[in-house]
Amino acid sequence: MTETATVVELAKRRGYFFQSSRAYGGVSGFYTYGPKGAALKENIEDTWRERFTLKEGNFEVDAPIVMPEPVFEASGHLDGFDDMLVECPECHASHRADHIIEDNTDIEEAESLPIPEVENLLAEHELTCPNCGADLAGQAIEEFNLMFETSIGPGSSQPGYLRPETAQGIFVEFPQLKEYARNQLPFGVTQIGPAYRNEISPRKSLLRLREFTQAELELFIDPEEDEPTLDAVRDVEAPLYSAEMQEEDGAEPVTMTIGDAVDEGIIADAWVAYYLGLAKQWYDRIGIDMAKFRFRQHLPGELAHYAADCWDAEALVDDDWIELAGFANRGDYDLSKHGSYSDDDFTLFKQYDEPRHVERATVDPDMSYLGPEFGGAAGDIAEALQTLAERDRSAFDGDSVEVEVDGEAYEVPTEHVNFDVSEETEAGEHIVPHVIEPSFGVDRALYTVVHHAYREDEVEGEERSYLALAPEVAPTFVGVFPLTSKDGLPEKAQSVATDLRERGLSVAYDDSGSIGRRYRRQDEVGTPFCVTLDGDPTGTATIRERDSTEQVRVDLDDLGDVLTDLRTGARTFDDL
């Protein structure tokens, strides 16, 4: 059994995650989080919220999952949110063509290749159907839109879609959100919630889902004025795998500080660099193994149409690098699109420090001349004259001026244009903010945390498997046991468990089986500490630490304070 198979089996057996609807055969791409998994997921989300919402001074929203079709016309998802589908000619199973190539060749990021090249690769490498082994050479590849379609309302309902990302729920509400931010840039909006993609071939447990959870931050900035304060992350060291490094044979990621990476131009965008630094600290905090972690820059063929640059956080799981998060400067693409498609204002008024006196060129065409002379083209000619006036005033110096409309040239006497240059005073201007987006996959983070936390060792001659989860995210923080069922110890242990729960600690009470077996059960689900009451007459109990299995005695009167400090990091076990 591979390590991944072992971890997935443990996750199912101990209530972390398992395929949904198994009583009805199950559905690929949908997973249920059990009691341990739901608690771990919530803890991971809480640490993300603390780091990227609270500490950054951002605010959080919770937008609907279903959104009307025009939202996705504007965002481009209706036309450009596709995967490459190839159907087996024998068993008629559908597969992602790029995944088949990546799984069976040395080619990486086949998703970024054009369809004709992918079709050629299927034939060149003699690739076959993963289900039945039929030859896929010559099979046409089709684009398959990943969004789940639904209807809003009865009858001839309004078409809608389940959101494929949480970001659009923030972008479409910008006209209202900017009011909450008092029209001041920069301001950030976060959201944690489910997104949906109708994956062709979900696979690898939580790594490729049809329903998944995203934690996203959309930071709205003035690109001409707003810069991050890099001091907070300047000295953070991170392994960086730039596009240039990837194109060199045998090149490996280079570990350097965020500050040096910006100074040397390896990370071109200071905002992206800032969030890479925060993300590195956060991933380390929740338990991602930093020896199996890197930031990889997108290659030119991978870049989204809206992004000038993008980096992914990646983690190594069973010899595969998996994407955990993406960090991009989306420019003004999203707000400009929604502004042009909707009836609302997606700009923000930027007030100048001092009023500015500007000269403005205008035209006031004589439509009583343009109409009879040019007929139906008169309105377009008037607009073209205004555009020309703004661009080139000298064009109006002669007796006539020429403009082009729909490829045809029109000459208009200057006397009928009424060209003028006037001086105006402006207090500010309307701008379309740019967007910096760190987008995190919560499910992939959880899966990687569990995978990286899995350990095997030997304790007192007995093999042990356990999850070395960080105390801050572990679903159960402390197990409480009576050593025996005599002398009132169960009642006393129950009372201790109740007191600890009232302090906000997650507690598991267990009085079944030998003390060693109880320790093993808690070790396997990742509980950092166990407290055992043994009836000691001095009023103490033992605290056992999961990873080392070492134990210390603590006064019962101090137990709550000690465990709370261990949970918050105010004290370590070595301090006791």
Side-chain angles (χ1 to χ4, degrees):
M1 184 180 293
T2 66
E3 184 175 323
T4 291
T6 300
V7 171
V8 170
E9 188 277 331
L10 182 152
K12 177 183 176 183
R13 178 165 46 84
R14 290 302 188 187
Y16 273 91
F17 52 83
F18 46 87
Q19 190 178 32
S20 300
S21 306
R22 291 181 63 85
Y24 292 90
V27 181
S28 297
F30 294 95
Y31 272 73
T32 294
Y33 287 98
K36 297 299 181 186
L40 175 59
K41 184 169 180 280
E42 183 177 3
N43 290 343
I44 289 174
E45 291 172 359
D46 285 346
T47 64
W48 189 92
R49 181 176 285 111
E50 180 197 30
R51 173 61 272 183
F52 292 95
T53 304
L54 300 178
K55 287 189 175 180
E56 292 301 296
N58 300 321
F59 51 85
E60 184 174 358
V61 299
D62 187 1
I65 291 168
V66 176
M67 305 181 77
E69 185 176 62
V71 170
F72 301 110
E73 289 178 355
S75 68
H77 284 90
L78 276 184
D79 296 328
F81 197 63
D82 305 308
D83 272 347
M84 291 180 278
L85 182 150
V86 61
E87 183 176 313
C88 174
E90 297 295 333
C91 70
H92 302 292
S94 295
H95 305 284
R96 274 189 62 169
D98 53 317
H99 284 175
I100 292 175
I101 291 171
E102 291 169 358
D103 291 345
N104 296 280
T105 72
D106 294 330
I107 298 170
E108 298 181 0
E109 306 301 335
E111 182 180 6
S112 64
L113 301 176
I115 284 179
E117 186 172 345
V118 172
E119 290 176 337
N120 290 336
L121 288 170
L122 290 177
E124 178 184 335
H125 292 275
E126 300 180 348
L127 299 179
T128 60
C129 171
N131 287 12
C132 71
D135 188 4
L136 295 177
Q139 295 303 303
I141 294 175
E142 299 178 358
E143 291 184 337
F144 174 76
N145 193 282
L146 298 178
M147 287 196 296
F148 283 99
E149 186 174 4
T150 186
S151 297
I152 303 173
S156 56
S157 309
Q158 179 182 10
Y161 293 88
L162 276 65
R163 64 188 185 195
E165 60 179 9
T166 64
Q168 297 306 320
I170 296 175
F171 295 143
V172 298
E173 307 304 345
F174 177 80
Q176 185 68 40
L177 296 173
K178 69 181 180 183
E179 300 296 329
Y180 300 148
R182 301 177 64 187
N183 292 288
Q184 299 295 311
L185 296 175
F187 72 90
V189 183
T190 68
Q191 183 170 202
I192 302 175
Y196 298 84
R197 298 180 185 179
N198 195 12
E199 294 283 351
I200 295 170
S201 51
R203 58 181 188 165
K204 295 186 177 180
S205 186
L206 301 183
L207 299 185
R208 183 69 65 176
L209 297 171
R210 289 179 166 132
E211 178 184 81
F212 54 95
T213 301
Q214 288 184 308
E216 293 194 300
L217 163 60
E218 310 301 332
L219 182 77
F220 301 98
I221 65 167
D222 180 344
E224 295 183 355
E225 295 186 2
D226 296 329
E227 290 289 339
T229 303
L230 279 178
D231 291 347
V233 297
R234 178 167 290 278
D235 295 329
V236 173
E237 290 190 340
L240 303 176
Y241 198 29
S242 70
E244 184 178 346
M245 295 172 192
Q246 295 170 60
E247 292 170 352
E248 296 176 5
D249 290 339
E252 295 291 333
V254 174
T255 297
M256 63 173 60
T257 67
I258 295 296
D260 287 345
V262 172
D263 294 341
E264 296 178 21
I266 293 175
I267 306 176
D269 190 293
W271 280 111
V272 170
Y274 176 73
Y275 286 115
L276 293 185
L278 292 187
K280 197 267 187 179
Q281 293 174 319
W282 179 72
Y283 279 122
D284 189 19
R285 171 182 172 184
I286 65 172
I288 301 293
D289 185 351
M290 289 295 105
K292 302 177 180 178
F293 179 84
R294 72 184 185 189
F295 290 114
R296 187 185 67 83
Q297 186 180 27
H298 280 204
L299 296 169
E302 296 178 76
L303 283 173
H305 53 276
Y306 53 74
D309 193 16
C310 185
W311 290 73
D312 286 345
E314 296 185 333
L316 189 63
V317 176
D318 260 1
D319 298 324
D320 288 329
W321 286 99
I322 64 170
E323 177 189 347
L324 300 179
F327 304 81
N329 184 330
R330 296 177 72 119
D332 64 359
Y333 173 83
D334 301 283
L335 297 188
S336 293
K337 280 288 189 179
H338 288 299
S340 63
Y341 274 75
S342 73
D343 297 325
D344 217 328
D345 182 11
F346 284 78
T347 68
L348 187 145
F349 185 72
K350 175 183 175 181
Q351 188 159 349
Y352 300 141
D353 294 334
E354 296 286 342
R356 298 179 184 177
H357 302 288
V358 297
E359 288 187 341
R360 191 173 301 283
T362 61
V363 295
D364 184 16
D366 181 359
M367 299 305 292
S368 65
Y369 170 81
L370 265 63
E373 183 71 20
F374 301 112
D380 292 335
I381 291 171
E383 290 183 10
L385 287 168
Q386 179 59 53
T387 300
L388 180 61
E390 294 170 359
R391 187 179 71 247
D392 182 11
R393 300 177 187 179
S394 65
F396 297 83
D397 292 342
D399 294 333
S400 65
V401 59
E402 184 176 289
V403 293
E404 186 175 299
V405 174
D406 293 332
E408 185 173 347
Y410 296 89
E411 189 170 335
V412 183
T414 308
E415 62 180 310
H416 294 296
V417 173
N418 294 318
F419 173 80
D420 186 37
V421 177
S422 59
E423 186 175 279
E424 298 180 4
T425 300
E426 295 183 346
E429 63 179 317
H430 287 272
I431 67 169
V432 179
H434 286 209
V435 177
I436 309 298
E437 181 190 70
S439 176
F440 295 73
V442 174
D443 309 272
R444 289 188 171 199
L446 182 148
Y447 179 85
T448 306
V449 164
V450 172
H451 201 284
H452 285 187
Y454 183 76
R455 307 279 193 277
E456 292 180 352
D457 65 3
E458 188 176 291
V459 176
E460 297 178 353
E462 181 180 338
E463 291 185 358
R464 175 181 73 143
S465 62
Y466 67 100
L467 295 178
L469 296 172
E472 189 175 15
V473 300
T476 303
F477 178 71
V478 59
V480 176
F481 313 144
L483 184 62
T484 69
S485 59
K486 302 176 181 179
D487 304 323
L489 288 179
E491 294 77 12
K492 196 170 185 178
Q494 286 278 21
S495 177
V496 168
T498 299
D499 290 342
L500 295 178
R501 290 189 183 110
E502 289 179 354
R503 285 176 170 265
L505 300 178
S506 175
V507 180
Y509 174 83
D510 190 356
D511 60 8
S512 174
S514 69
I515 194 68
R517 289 189 178 276
R518 283 181 268 174
Y519 284 148
R520 298 294 180 271
R521 283 196 288 266
Q522 294 305 315
D523 291 345
E524 193 171 38
V525 297
T527 304
F529 302 101
C530 289
V531 171
T532 302
L533 285 82
D534 57 8
D536 179 71
T538 62
T540 64
T542 62
I543 299 179
R544 174 187 179 271
E545 197 266 339
R546 175 198 60 215
D547 297 353
S548 66
T549 72
E550 293 182 358
Q551 301 184 29
V552 297
R553 280 205 168 270
V554 175
D555 287 340
L556 282 174
D557 291 341
D558 299 330
L559 182 63
D561 290 338
V562 169
L563 289 171
T564 299
D565 286 350
L566 290 173
R567 176 68 172 77
T568 62
R571 274 193 272 188
T572 67
F573 191 76
D574 291 338
D575 296 330
L576 302 182

